[in-house]
Amino acid sequence: MTSIHSGYIAIVGRPNVGKSTLLNHLIGEKISIVSRKAQTTRHRVTGILTDAESQFVFVDTPGFQTKFSNALNRAMNRGVTQTLNDVDVIFFVIEAGRYDARDKAVLRLLPKDRPVILVVNKADLLPDRAAMLPFLAEVAAGFDYAAVVPVSASKGRQTRELLAEARKHLPNEGLMFPEDDLTDKSERFLAAEYIREKVFRLLGDELPYASAVEIERFEVEGSLRRINAAIVVDRDSHKAIVIGKGGEALKRIASEARQDMERLFGGKVYLEVWVKVKSGWNDDERLLKSLGYE
């Protein structure tokens, strides 16, 4: 694999267009957490796909935030703009039949000196298939795209075509990561993300983005992992929501996160989770750094 083409591909777009679902389908594992809530992805998450010809290093970015301006959102937006300067190809993901000011705000960030592939996700859900061609023509007119590819990330449709378009623009660098690697993120990072995903999925409507996860202990003993984690919330009323009646909500979060970890890590996980109150954590630059935000 010495003459293999390899490079970095940023996956960008407004919140909730399916960026993380696309990444996970492309590499065949759940590396980036998924929920229907905006702000699910907060960190740059790297997924790696190696085939006979290429190594694609995908960077899933947070959805660019235009509504709120606190330290957390500023950190996420910095992550997006920094990523755009460091990659070889950009996948700009939009939703079929929907293109508005939020998409255009992301489009304005895209560099003119990198190939940008317009990825039109959820193409299978467009009620009027005849509307797809005029929609594509209208959206593509606003930028000089290297290619336009309609896909269904959840069903895996047209993803091979998408990879073929990306491959045309990858430099001939050889392997950047071992060929069996799926991500450059640590198990510790993935454990925190899996817990946070369950908080979003199970409590997202009641707990609007006022939570983070801190791994306080991560030890590996053979195939067993011992993990202690704290769910960080903004106020006491949020703590009560996370714990739930009789501790049921917290138990379910821990149980479902543990099952996901065991599948990914390939071994037993002993997971202990509790809740901490840190008022104003999402607008505290120092605290955000300690939680892994750049």
Side-chain angles (χ1 to χ4, degrees):
M1 280 202 175
T2 49
S3 63
I4 200 164
H5 288 260
S6 62
Y8 285 89
I9 301 166
I11 304 176
V12 301
R14 65 170 168 80
N16 280 354
V17 290
K19 299 181 297 296
S20 298
T21 302
L22 178 63
L23 170 66
N24 291 339
H25 184 87
L26 289 169
I27 65 169
E29 274 293 349
K30 188 166 79 174
I31 296 299
S32 194
I33 65 172
V34 177
S35 86
R36 290 199 175 98
K37 310 289 186 278
Q39 267 202 27
T40 304
T41 301
R42 288 182 181 163
H43 301 268
R44 286 179 288 178
V45 179
T46 302
I48 302 163
L49 171 67
T50 307
D51 63 20
E53 303 169 64
S54 316
Q55 184 171 78
F56 304 88
V57 185
F58 300 105
V59 188
D60 183 18
T61 60
F64 195 79
Q65 307 295 317
T66 55
K67 267 190 176 178
F68 308 106
S69 180
N70 59 24
L72 174 61
N73 283 342
R74 288 194 297 273
M76 290 194 293
N77 287 349
R78 276 198 304 273
V80 177
T81 50
Q82 284 167 10
T83 298
L84 293 173
N85 294 322
D86 296 339
V87 298
D88 302 291
V89 183
I90 296 165
F91 287 171
F92 175 39
V93 185
I94 66 170
E95 191 174 331
R98 294 181 64 188
Y99 186 71
D100 59 29
R102 295 170 299 164
D103 300 292
K104 291 172 184 173
V106 180
L107 182 64
R108 285 194 290 272
L109 298 173
L110 303 184
K112 302 289 192 292
D113 61 344
R114 311 286 154 89
V116 177
I117 297 173
L118 179 65
V119 183
V120 184
N121 191 25
K122 308 182 188 180
D124 55 317
L125 301 181
L126 199 65
D128 179 9
R129 297 292 173 87
M132 178 61 91
L133 283 177
F135 173 74
L136 294 180
E138 178 197 344
V139 175
F143 193 88
D144 185 18
Y145 293 105
V148 178
V149 185
V151 304
S152 168
S154 61
K155 294 187 171 67
R157 291 180 186 162
Q158 291 274 106
T159 51
R160 284 186 183 178
E161 289 80 356
L162 181 58
L163 290 173
E165 289 295 340
R167 185 180 281 117
K168 295 175 185 177
H169 304 286
L170 296 183
N172 190 356
E173 297 283 4
L175 286 177
M176 296 187 292
F177 296 92
E179 59 188 275
D180 55 351
D181 277 10
L182 292 175
T183 181
D184 65 345
K185 293 298 185 184
S186 67
E187 289 187 354
R188 186 186 188 101
F189 171 87
L190 293 169
E193 288 288 273
Y194 276 6
I195 295 166
R196 195 166 61 80
E197 178 191 54
K198 302 313 172 194
V199 173
F200 266 60
R201 285 195 162 200
L202 299 174
L203 305 173
D205 291 331
E206 298 175 86
L207 197 73
Y209 319 124
S211 62
V213 175
E214 193 172 17
I215 301 295
E216 300 195 344
R217 175 194 184 203
F218 192 107
E219 294 175 0
V220 182
E221 301 168 8
S223 63
L224 170 70
R225 286 153 183 83
R226 296 184 184 277
I227 303 169
N228 292 358
I231 297 170
V232 180
V233 295
D234 198 44
R235 54 187 75 154
D236 287 322
S237 59
H238 293 160
K239 180 176 181 177
I241 292 169
V242 176
I243 293 171
K245 189 176 180 182
E248 285 305 312
L250 188 58
K251 281 180 201 164
R252 189 174 167 198
I253 289 164
S255 173
E256 293 190 15
R258 178 184 53 76
Q259 290 169 41
D260 273 1
M261 290 177 206
E262 289 181 342
R263 273 193 292 272
L264 184 66
F265 300 156
K268 294 295 288 179
V269 171
Y270 173 81
L271 175 64
E272 197 173 331
V273 183
W274 54 86
V275 188
K276 272 186 187 176
V277 177
K278 289 188 178 178
S279 182
W281 70 267
N282 60 3
D283 208 15
D284 182 326
E285 302 271 6
R286 274 194 311 177
L287 191 49
L288 286 166
K289 274 195 174 166
S290 76
L291 290 170
Y293 297 95
E294 296 172 10

